[in-house]
Amino acid sequence: MPAAEIRLEKISKRYGDLWAVREITLHIKRGEFYTFLGPSGCGKSTLLRTIAGFVSPDEGTVYLDGAPVNHIPPWERDVGMVFQNYALWPHLSVFENVAFGLRERKIPRDEIQRQVQQALEQVGLQGTERRRPSQLSGGQQQRVALARTLVIQPRALLLDEPLSNLDAKLRAEMRIELLKLQRDLGITTIYVTHDQEEALALSTRIAVMESGRVVQEGEPREIYEQPREKFVAEFVGKSNLFIGTVARAGDGIIEVKTEEGLTIRAAFSSPLLPGAAGKKVLLNIRPEAIDLLAPGEEAARLNRIAGKVAALAYQGSFVEYEIEAGGRPIKANVINPKGKRLFQRGEEVAAVFDPKDVALVS
Amino acid sequence: MAALLALLVLFILYPVVRVLWVSLSDEEGKLTLLHFANFFRRPLFREALWNSLLSGVLVVLFGSLMAVPLAYFSVRYEFRGKILLQTLATLPLVIPPFVGAVALQLILGRSGMVNLLLMRWFDWSVPFMEGLTGVVLVQTLHFFPFIMLNTAVSLSNIDPSMEEMAQNMGCRGLRLFGRITLPLMLPGYIAGSLLTFIRVIDDLGTPLMLNYKNLLAPQAYLRITTIGIDDVDGYVICVILVILSLVSLAAARKYLGLAEYATVQRGAVAARPVHGRKRFLVLLFCGLVLGISLLPHMGIFLLSFSKVWSFSILPATYTLDNYTEILFRVPHFVRNTLLYTILAAGLDVILGAAIAFLLLRSRIWGRNLLDAIATLPLAIPGVVLAVGYLRVFHGWDFPGAGAPLTSTWFILVIAYTMRRLPYTVRASYAALQQVHVSLEESAQNLGANRLKTFYKVTLPLITGGLVAGGLIAFITSSVELSSTIMLVPRFELGPISYGIYVYMQSAALGRGAGAALGVVAILLVSLGTYLTHRVFGGRAGSAFRV
Amino acid sequence: MNRAAVLSSLLAIFIVATTPLFAKEVVIVTSFPKELFETYKKAFEAKNPGTKVIINSKQTNAGVTYIRETKTRPEADIFWVSAPDAFQTLKADGLLDKYSPPKEIMSRIPAKIGTFPIHDPDGSYFGFAVSGYGLMWNKNYMQAHKLPAPKEWVDLANSRYYGHTVISAPSRSGTTHLTVEVILQAYGWDKGWALLLNSGGNMGAITERSFGVPEAVNSGQYGIGVVIDFFGLSAIASGQPVDFAYPSLTSVVPASVGIVKGGPNPESAKAFVNYLLGEAGQMVLFSPEIARLPVIPELYAKGPKNYPNPFTMKLGGLDFNNRLSSGRRDVVNSLYDHIITFRHRELKEAWGTIYRAEEAIARGKGKDLAQARNLVAEARKLASQAPINDKKASDKDVVGAFKSKSGLKAELETEWEKLARANYAKAKELAEKAAGLAR
């Protein structure tokens, strides 16, 4: 399957006074699974629709394989799109839905027959050809939509929240299927979602968007482990954010005094610039990096904050705690709780974590 | 349900059956099919039947060529003068009786403006208004808004992603329209075409004004109203018209029933601005279609200021007397029209919504019967309903009025309400069809009972359809003639259409005053349409969208 | 059902609030134009203070239906229209009251005008005005098409007027029916129908409404119309570029008034009839926008100058047989419809072809001219032929078929129609052949 390289250069789109998309520059490589991640209204769908050609940007250029395509209408861009509501045509059968794009491409009849069969097999829907979309379940409709788009072998696949209308279990299943399919086909894919788990699981790279801007772009690990903005840290995964002032900067370790009066030590591979002391910083500690100990218990970790259990939720694979410390909540996920002690509400505990698990956001 | 059914039986079915029974009974009052057998034996009637069907099909065909692009432009494109287009496009439905005919003759007739000019320039003329061609031409110009209004409603209900998806697959332009848009807007288009077809085969005014009589409706009318002859054939033709209409309705419904068209609304396709050459072509097309279909109105306007207009391109002498006559000397025509038609349209909206709701959302026994009866008036000539009313309601005093219903003006309101009921039922039905049941179920789930759900959820969603239907009821009632003439109890209670009739009989006061009344009718209707667009335009798109 | 009660009482309030109650009324169903009934309404109310004239303006046919359908409890007192057929129909149904107006009124009105009786001999209805039938033409139109003004009925069959004339169908207009009868009685059945068929083939249009004819002429759609005089006279009075003339063989028709049996106000009804027939009522007819002819001969001396006077006019000189006319009325009307009105296209084509063939013969030099002439003559004959003779038209069974629901009427009409179709097609074919020969 052909795979396109997509470049966006300084794309801007305004609706009235509102910037839907503002000066976005991105480079999506061949075969990538690239995700626009962000809350609703962040401009991710607008950006996707700009690539598909349904939105023409006020400024900036979209390049497909190096060629500017702003002037090319949607029907000539050859980028397959799957809509959130699938947009299956109710008046056409499953077969006709899938065959639609092939007919547009003037493919011979028997070839259409063959390719549609193949596409339906690919998504596991053989035998449903003659049904109407309304006679299919949500998951099946989703697969038809996917097959319909893939059968035309587009240069890129654009997916607009394709899993959001499915139930949780189906969503998880489809996620894996999608992943396999994309990796097998090697097609350049752009995925729009507000679900950070989906984004992390599927993508090769992610652009986190907020209010029409890309706030951070990077591989899933980078996004999760090294969020560079408060928004990213908060939006992607759960987080404990601390604002503080650098009290001491030493050899690979800084000591930060937080607003709440807590002291947090953080490790950094690159030495901090001289004069870091006195600088304001934002720190993030992921809940799963925090372990809980009874007050008397000792541990090797350098950070220790005393607090009280405010709430807990047993999740099976982990226990979600909320600790109150220094007048603020701290989230701690104690993983693999089997055999460990469950702290009760109101119990005094110590939250411990390693300096290397502290991320410097800014 | 029972109350509704009783109402419809009393005011539609019973009077009509009382009249049409004639066609099924012999001289001893026993059931016979002899008259129907005779109908099919007679070449004249076979010819009339064929001509009626042919004209119906042709009008739908040509009407679609005008209406569908107009509907598409008005829903999908953003350009200045769009409200004007939507307002003007309803006007062809308001060709006031008689004067409309005279005015169109003055423009397109054999010695009309156009032909006089053609003769002067090229010594050549075009028989626009002759024979069946003329009938089809005039009916197309007259009825195409039915297709346009209904198509526009459906069109604006299409989920935008349906078309975007197709574009994404490489489909565009006319092909996109043909493969996706058209099939998806079929519910409205078919409803509109059906109305048009039924109205055409039932249309009396046009063939009579063009003096073309070999069609079913004029044959029925001529036979029923010829002095002194109790001609059973007239009633036979009426029954055949009713059957034709019901059959086409049933066929359309069966077809539409096959497809699932309910969509969960995700906002309408945004109208997009057009520029340059395309804009020019769009405006040109709209201008041409409207220009041609508003020729009668132009004629009426000119005629209303004319004193003498005879075998000349423009009137020879002008006057304001016609307006003095109808606005100051006899103002009651205008007042009565407003009273009757607004009441009737209001009643129609209420009844139409209730019936459509029962049809689509309930499983109560008899709802199909309800539907059939509510559809009947489409197919019943006004004369028959009027005679039925006289026959049924003349005998007894209306409780509290001390007089029979037929000697009060309320009989006119009832007649208008019943005759136009199919429009609001159809419009509500089409609108309701596109509201997914889940929207209502979720309201019921949240604790709203059926009535409350209807009021709080369904009603707001179908308001557009209701308003469109009510508007059509209002518009067409304001120029309703055939039942009016029969039922007006006295001169002072007559509406505009009656006034026009009275003036048109008079060579002295004449066509001018009738035309002036026609202008008033047209203004009333355009004002109503415009206001509807303004009021509903802000909240829910235009009256014909949503 | 509570709602129904509320609704009906609301209705009742509406109705009561809008139904004015007068001590004395006279309710009149009429097809006359507004200027006529309004003038009379004012004049009568001025003469009879306290009595209110209520006008229910209806087309003649609708009026008849209305009176019939409301017969269980009549709401109208007076039926007041032009068409004599309408009165005959109502009289036959027993829906009109007999009345004898005071002697001093009746003595001034002659029993007949020419040979036409003015009143119903049984006193069921009374002629209050007469109108003559004639020809009306648009002067602009005639000039533009370079046509001379027509004078006689036979002119309507002249090929030069082909496509320029207009008439209303006799089944739709009582006055046209009378004209048709005058022609049939004056020329005899066969020659009469020949004239009717030929002029029918010349007609540009055959209208359904009788006022469709003056309308078409006033607006110049057609040049010449067969109309009742007041249409022409009042159009002239209102400044239309038209003219009107009575042919020498004209028919005059009384416009009548009758009292509805069992009407709510019998006394006022009688007063109204007396007023119409009396001098005051008669004088109103002279006003230019009404332009009808009074039935009291001596009043013409008081009327406008050059006002047509039917009592001194030469009225065809034929002894009009009213019984014959009304006896076969339905048959004649249906015959006209089925061989002329509904077959107008074919008839018109046939005559058009005949005229073209005749022109070709007039210009032609071919050696087959004689044969061509024969063919045209044959074609003319076919296009002028009535399907039945006059005896059949008055036959009891035939006449009866139009009053009953048996299948005979359908059979007859089908037969006429088929014959007409075949004749016109044949005539056209022959004429085409003739034209071919003459070329």
Side-chain angles (χ1 to χ4, degrees):
Chain A
M1 212 170 251
E5 164 216 34
I6 299 166
R7 215 144 49 76
L8 306 179
E9 211 171 273
K10 291 199 165 166
I11 303 287
S12 292
K13 179 72 189 177
R14 284 176 76 136
Y15 292 113
D17 287 341
L18 192 83
W19 288 93
V21 167
R22 195 163 186 179
E23 294 199 343
I24 289 188
T25 301
L26 289 174
H27 184 188
I28 296 149
K29 300 186 201 92
R30 277 177 223 288
E32 254 198 299
F33 195 116
Y34 196 98
T35 299
F36 299 157
L37 173 66
S40 61
C42 72
K44 56 187 190 300
S45 283
T46 306
L47 199 56
L48 190 77
R49 293 166 59 80
T50 308
I51 298 169
F54 297 124
V55 173
S56 53
D58 297 335
E59 278 161 53
T61 318
V62 179
Y63 296 92
L64 281 179
D65 284 332
V69 293
N70 281 29
H71 61 285
I72 295 183
W75 46 88
E76 284 167 15
R77 287 201 185 185
D78 205 19
V79 289
M81 182 148 169
V82 174
F83 285 83
Q84 184 174 12
N85 63 348
Y86 318 141
L88 296 180
W89 300 298
H91 62 293
L92 299 179
S93 66
V94 168
F95 183 91
E96 281 304 322
N97 262 284
V98 178
F100 188 92
L102 297 174
R103 292 203 197 285
E104 287 306 311
R105 281 158 183 74
K106 310 263 190 300
I107 309 277
R109 225 165 231 278
D110 40 348
E111 184 62 12
I112 290 181
Q113 185 74 29
R114 199 185 58 77
Q115 291 197 16
V116 171
Q117 291 302 344
Q118 199 191 340
L120 286 175
E121 261 166 49
Q122 207 164 27
V123 296
L125 278 179
Q126 52 271 58
T128 57
E129 292 85 350
R130 305 181 65 180
R131 290 203 220 156
R132 295 253 169 188
S134 54
Q135 295 168 304
L136 301 179
S137 71
Q140 288 174 315
Q141 291 186 13
Q142 162 72 67
R143 286 155 197 260
V144 174
L146 205 56
R148 178 175 63 177
T149 304
L150 288 176
V151 80
I152 59 166
Q153 308 199 339
R155 300 155 77 185
L157 181 60
L158 310 180
L159 302 165
D160 188 0
E161 307 229 9
L163 305 182
S164 62
N165 284 346
L166 302 178
D167 62 59
K169 198 155 175 252
L170 208 55
R171 190 153 56 209
E173 270 175 45
M174 282 302 293
R175 199 149 74 191
I176 298 291
E177 264 184 62
L178 204 57
L179 191 67
K180 282 198 287 195
L181 203 63
Q182 194 268 340
R183 300 296 193 267
D184 285 351
L185 296 171
I187 184 174
T188 311
T189 301
I190 301 180
Y191 192 90
V192 161
T193 185
H194 62 270
D195 184 331
Q196 42 102 11
E197 270 183 56
E198 266 175 24
L200 295 173
L202 291 166
S203 319
T204 53
R205 279 198 299 155
I206 296 171
V208 183
M209 295 180 62
E210 189 206 5
S211 315
R213 289 172 179 280
V214 171
V215 288
Q216 188 174 353
E217 188 197 18
E219 289 173 16
R221 271 195 83 159
E222 208 180 324
I223 297 289
Y224 188 78
E225 292 171 10
Q226 292 154 29
R228 282 202 309 271
E229 276 197 30
K230 182 176 175 226
F231 173 79
V232 180
E234 277 179 328
F235 189 76
V236 183
K238 297 222 166 99
S239 54
N240 292 297
L241 289 170
F242 294 90
I243 303 170
T245 323
V246 178
R248 225 152 37 103
D251 189 19
I253 293 236
I254 57 169
E255 221 176 85
V256 175
K257 196 87 176 165
T258 72
E259 279 177 339
E260 299 86 2
L262 305 168
T263 301
I264 292 171
R265 292 177 190 85
F268 294 101
S269 47
S270 54
L272 272 176
L273 294 169
K279 210 173 164 189
K280 275 205 134 186
V281 289
L282 180 66
L283 301 178
N284 183 29
I285 304 136
R286 295 290 180 190
E288 67 272 15
I290 300 176
D291 205 357
L292 294 186
L293 299 174
E297 239 177 302
E298 285 297 327
R301 294 169 213 190
L302 269 177
N303 287 306
R304 186 182 185 109
I305 296 169
K308 225 188 236 175
V309 174
L312 77 159
Y314 177 74
Q315 304 273 13
S317 63
F318 65 95
V319 187
E320 198 180 339
Y321 289 99
E322 191 177 303
I323 311 298
E324 195 170 313
R328 59 158 285 167
I330 295 174
K331 284 175 237 148
N333 291 353
V334 177
I335 26 188
N336 197 9
K338 196 178 172 195
K340 288 186 190 166
R341 189 182 149 208
L342 268 186
F343 294 98
Q344 296 306 307
R345 205 176 156 219
E347 234 180 299
E348 300 274 347
V349 290
V352 294
F353 49 95
D354 206 284
K356 71 171 168 44
D357 287 329
V358 180
L360 179 68
V361 177
S362 61
Chain B
M1 170 75 196
L4 263 181
L5 197 57
L7 196 71
L8 296 194
V9 167
L10 179 64
F11 286 111
I12 298 175
L13 194 60
Y14 181 57
V16 171
V17 168
R18 275 281 293 265
V19 175
L20 296 186
W21 171 243
V22 177
S23 68
L24 283 167
S25 60
D26 61 12
E27 275 168 286
E28 277 89 50
K30 284 197 220 108
L31 184 75
T32 172
L33 285 175
L34 171 79
H35 309 306
F36 283 90
N38 278 339
F39 174 92
F40 288 102
R41 255 181 238 137
R42 300 183 61 172
L44 174 65
F45 291 160
R46 286 205 303 266
E47 181 192 346
L49 177 64
W50 166 248
N51 282 341
S52 284
L53 293 176
L54 184 69
S55 65
V57 169
L58 287 179
V59 170
V60 167
L61 189 74
F62 295 130
S64 304
L65 292 181
M66 295 165 74
V68 173
L70 276 189
Y72 191 85
F73 297 156
S74 81
V75 172
R76 291 302 172 77
Y77 290 154
E78 197 56 67
F79 50 90
R80 273 181 64 184
K82 201 166 120 175
I83 284 204
L84 189 69
L85 164 70
Q86 284 161 336
T87 306
L88 291 184
T90 50
L91 286 194
L93 292 177
V94 205
I95 301 183
F98 298 123
V99 270
V102 175
L104 201 56
Q105 290 283 14
L106 286 168
I107 308 270
L108 286 182
R110 61 194 291 273
S111 310
M113 183 188 288
V114 173
N115 274 328
L116 285 181
L117 284 173
L118 287 177
M119 279 198 277
R120 180 180 296 178
W121 293 334
F122 311 110
D123 196 23
W124 172 66
S125 66
V126 184
F128 296 107
M129 307 278 277
E130 308 290 319
L132 195 61
T133 327
V135 173
V136 169
L137 171 77
V138 174
Q139 285 174 332
T140 304
L141 296 182
H142 185 26
F143 289 123
F144 81 91
F146 279 126
I147 304 182
M148 176 187 162
L149 298 181
N150 278 291
T151 306
V153 171
S154 236
L155 200 54
S156 57
N157 274 339
I158 296 175
D159 189 316
S161 66
M162 292 290 167
E163 288 179 12
E164 287 177 351
M165 187 64 224
Q167 291 183 333
N168 182 258
M169 305 251 76
C171 194
R172 58 169 296 209
L174 273 179
R175 207 172 146 73
L176 169 72
F177 181 80
R179 293 195 67 188
I180 303 297
T181 317
L182 184 71
L184 290 179
M185 71 183 198
L186 271 187
Y189 172 74
I190 289 192
S193 302
L194 195 67
L195 275 187
T196 307
F197 180 80
I198 292 175
R199 276 302 297 265
V200 166
I201 59 174
D202 188 38
D203 181 27
L204 183 61
T206 311
L208 285 188
M209 96 189 196
L210 294 178
N211 299 310
Y212 188 82
K213 299 170 192 76
N214 294 9
L215 288 165
L216 288 182
Q219 280 292 332
Y221 174 79
L222 294 178
R223 275 152 199 283
I224 290 177
T225 57
T226 292
I227 309 167
I229 301 185
D230 273 322
D231 194 335
V232 67
D233 294 329
Y235 298 100
V236 171
I237 299 174
C238 288
V239 173
I240 291 198
L241 281 173
V242 172
I243 292 172
L244 273 182
S245 306
L246 291 183
V247 164
S248 45
L249 261 184
R253 199 163 300 163
K254 181 131 192 252
Y255 173 77
L256 288 180
L258 287 177
E260 171 98 20
Y261 287 103
T263 48
V264 179
Q265 211 30 52
R266 229 190 101 216
V269 178
R272 56 180 188 275
V274 279
H275 303 289
R277 221 168 70 96
K278 199 164 172 190
R279 184 184 134 93
F280 173 75
L281 289 177
V282 165
L283 289 179
L284 183 74
F285 181 84
C286 297
L288 260 180
V289 168
L290 287 183
I292 295 172
S293 57
L294 294 180
L295 280 179
H297 305 73
M298 190 182 89
I300 292 169
F301 184 77
L302 278 175
L303 191 58
S304 74
F305 288 102
S306 79
K307 198 164 147 60
V308 175
W309 186 3
S310 174
F311 204 76
S312 55
I313 292 156
L314 287 173
T317 49
Y318 294 90
T319 176
L320 280 174
D321 288 353
N322 300 325
Y323 286 94
T324 322
E325 166 78 16
I326 60 141
L327 293 179
F328 303 109
R329 291 200 49 222
V330 202
H332 69 254
F333 290 132
V334 180
R335 206 180 52 224
N336 290 341
T337 297
L338 277 179
L339 177 67
Y340 303 167
T341 52
I342 289 176
L343 265 179
L347 287 172
D348 271 339
V349 166
I350 295 170
L351 290 174
I355 291 171
F357 189 79
L358 282 174
L359 292 184
L360 274 172
R361 296 289 192 259
S362 80
R363 292 280 168 272
I364 299 178
W365 179 90
R367 69 202 153 87
N368 289 327
L369 185 65
L370 192 70
D371 188 21
I373 301 176
T375 310
L376 264 185
L378 271 185
I380 300 168
V383 177
V384 172
L385 193 72
V387 170
Y389 279 5
L390 285 178
R391 221 167 259 187
V392 173
F393 299 115
H394 180 70
W396 49 279
D397 281 359
F398 193 77
L405 201 52
T406 46
S407 58
T408 67
W409 57 266
F410 209 77
I411 193 73
L412 286 166
V413 177
I414 293 176
Y416 294 165
T417 305
M418 294 305 156
R419 264 174 77 66
R420 303 311 181 210
L421 183 60
Y423 297 148
T424 51
V425 172
R426 284 298 112 213
S428 321
Y429 190 91
L432 198 57
Q433 210 174 23
Q434 287 181 318
V435 174
H436 203 280
V437 189
S438 66
L439 298 174
E440 286 161 19
E441 286 169 346
S442 67
Q444 290 179 0
N445 172 262
L446 290 174
N449 61 24
R450 271 173 161 275
L451 194 68
K452 201 150 188 181
T453 303
F454 179 76
Y455 181 70
K456 290 251 180 188
V457 176
T458 320
L459 197 59
L461 286 174
I462 60 171
T463 304
L466 287 185
V467 169
L471 197 62
I472 292 181
F474 166 73
I475 288 172
T476 49
S477 294
S478 61
V479 289
E480 156 77 36
L481 183 73
S482 52
S483 58
T484 305
I485 284 193
M486 200 59 101
L487 290 175
V488 167
R490 56 180 66 184
F491 184 70
E492 291 78 11
L493 297 179
I496 285 181
S497 53
Y498 180 77
I500 292 175
Y501 159 75
V502 169
Y503 283 116
M504 290 309 284
Q505 296 233 76
S506 142
L509 291 164
R511 320 174 295 179
L517 271 180
V519 169
V520 171
I522 293 167
L523 287 180
L524 280 181
V525 169
S526 19
L527 189 69
T529 314
Y530 177 75
L531 285 179
T532 323
H533 277 293
R534 286 301 295 262
V535 172
F536 288 89
R539 203 152 17 112
S542 67
F544 307 111
R545 302 183 43 178
V546 185
Chain C
M1 285 309 93
N2 215 359
R3 255 185 307 167
V6 172
L7 189 71
S8 59
S9 51
L10 257 176
L11 255 177
I13 292 167
F14 258 131
I15 288 158
V16 170
T18 50
T19 312
L21 293 168
F22 286 92
K24 265 171 107 183
E25 293 182 335
V26 54
V27 184
I28 299 173
V29 171
T30 179
S31 72
F32 287 125
K34 178 164 170 287
E35 61 272 10
L36 193 150
F37 68 66
E38 245 187 8
T39 314
Y40 272 103
K41 174 181 154 82
K42 268 190 208 129
F44 182 74
E45 281 176 357
K47 270 226 155 156
N48 300 271
T51 306
K52 173 122 176 113
V53 174
I54 290 169
I55 297 293
N56 190 342
S57 175
K58 281 186 168 25
Q59 199 189 356
T60 308
N61 304 326
V64 170
T65 311
Y66 179 81
I67 300 281
R68 279 178 168 177
E69 295 296 339
T70 56
K71 68 182 166 198
T72 48
R73 216 177 69 179
E75 285 171 26
D77 298 302
I78 295 282
F79 187 68
W80 192 29
V81 305
S82 281
D85 325 26
F87 287 98
Q88 282 162 16
T89 304
L90 290 181
K91 183 189 166 193
D93 289 357
L95 296 175
L96 294 177
D97 237 347
K98 287 202 172 95
Y99 172 56
S100 23
K103 267 243 171 60
E104 65 270 22
I105 293 178
M106 293 307 272
S107 61
R108 299 179 68 185
I109 306 174
K112 281 188 172 185
I113 177 162
T115 54
F116 300 88
I118 291 179
H119 305 306
D120 174 45
D122 301 325
S124 293
Y125 51 93
F126 306 92
F128 76 98
V130 291
S131 303
Y133 237 56
L135 297 166
M136 166 185 184
W137 61 92
N138 185 311
K139 293 187 281 192
N140 295 351
Y141 184 102
M142 302 299 269
Q143 205 181 352
H145 290 272
K146 302 189 184 66
L147 293 171
K151 287 194 184 65
E152 299 293 340
W153 296 127
V154 284
D155 288 343
L156 293 176
N158 191 314
S159 64
R160 73 159 75 99
Y161 295 122
Y162 180 71
H164 295 299
T165 53
V166 54
I167 194 172
S168 61
S171 59
R172 314 296 304 154
S173 155
T175 40
T176 311
H177 164 249
L178 224 66
T179 309
V180 166
E181 263 299 336
V182 165
I183 289 174
L184 287 179
Q185 291 191 21
Y187 292 92
W189 181 265
D190 289 334
K191 276 179 101 178
W193 273 110
L195 176 56
L196 290 173
L197 282 161
N198 192 348
S199 61
N202 275 5
M203 292 293 166
I206 299 171
T207 71
E208 174 265 328
R209 297 161 291 135
S210 46
F211 61 89
V213 178
E215 206 176 275
V217 176
N218 281 337
S219 67
Q221 292 306 312
Y222 293 101
I224 307 160
V226 179
V227 294
I228 199 157
D229 53 8
F230 56 81
F231 277 141
L233 297 174
S234 60
I236 296 169
S238 64
Q240 299 290 343
V242 296
D243 216 339
F244 173 84
Y246 297 100
S248 58
L249 183 73
T250 189
S251 47
V252 287
V253 199
S256 306
V257 62
I259 297 176
V260 178
K261 193 176 241 170
N265 312 289
E267 287 315 306
S268 311
K270 283 172 194 161
F272 186 77
V273 171
N274 292 346
Y275 175 77
L276 271 186
L277 299 178
E279 178 163 344
Q282 289 285 302
M283 287 302 286
V284 175
L285 296 169
F286 284 126
S287 41
E289 74 271 15
I290 295 178
R292 298 198 188 216
L293 317 178
V295 288
I296 304 178
E298 63 210 63
L299 288 185
Y300 285 88
K302 299 187 194 169
K305 262 193 200 136
N306 295 329
Y307 203 79
N309 182 348
F311 294 97
T312 57
M313 240 188 265
K314 194 178 142 226
L315 286 176
L318 101 142
D319 193 9
F320 189 77
N321 186 339
N322 199 29
R323 275 211 15 225
L324 178 67
S325 162
S326 53
R328 68 188 186 192
R329 189 192 66 218
D330 294 341
V331 183
V332 166
N333 282 346
S334 172
L335 197 55
Y336 193 97
D337 272 350
H338 282 86
I339 67 177
I340 300 179
T341 316
F342 300 153
R343 297 272 70 85
H344 187 224
R345 188 169 57 88
E346 292 91 336
L347 183 62
K348 204 177 158 192
E349 268 174 24
W351 280 102
T353 323
I354 289 171
Y355 294 149
R356 275 195 301 280
E358 284 173 345
E359 263 174 53
I361 289 169
R363 273 183 285 121
K365 346 182 232 309
K367 49 186 179 310
D368 298 324
L369 278 186
Q371 200 195 340
R373 274 193 200 98
N374 284 341
L375 287 174
V376 169
E378 182 65 18
R380 267 187 175 267
K381 214 177 125 198
L382 281 168
S384 309
Q385 208 170 54
I388 53 169
N389 59 25
D390 53 342
K391 238 166 107 193
K392 186 107 189 258
S394 297
D395 183 271
K396 218 169 70 196
D397 290 342
V398 173
V399 170
F402 285 82
K403 297 272 179 234
S404 84
K405 289 178 79 178
S406 75
L408 181 59
K409 181 174 81 63
E411 267 170 48
L412 286 169
E413 288 177 346
T414 309
E415 195 185 305
W416 300 341
E417 183 206 343
K418 279 183 174 159
L419 199 76
R421 252 182 224 266
N423 280 350
Y424 305 156
K426 185 82 184 151
K428 193 180 159 194
E429 193 192 316
L430 290 174
E432 271 165 359
K433 218 168 171 186
L437 286 173
R439 242 173 245 132

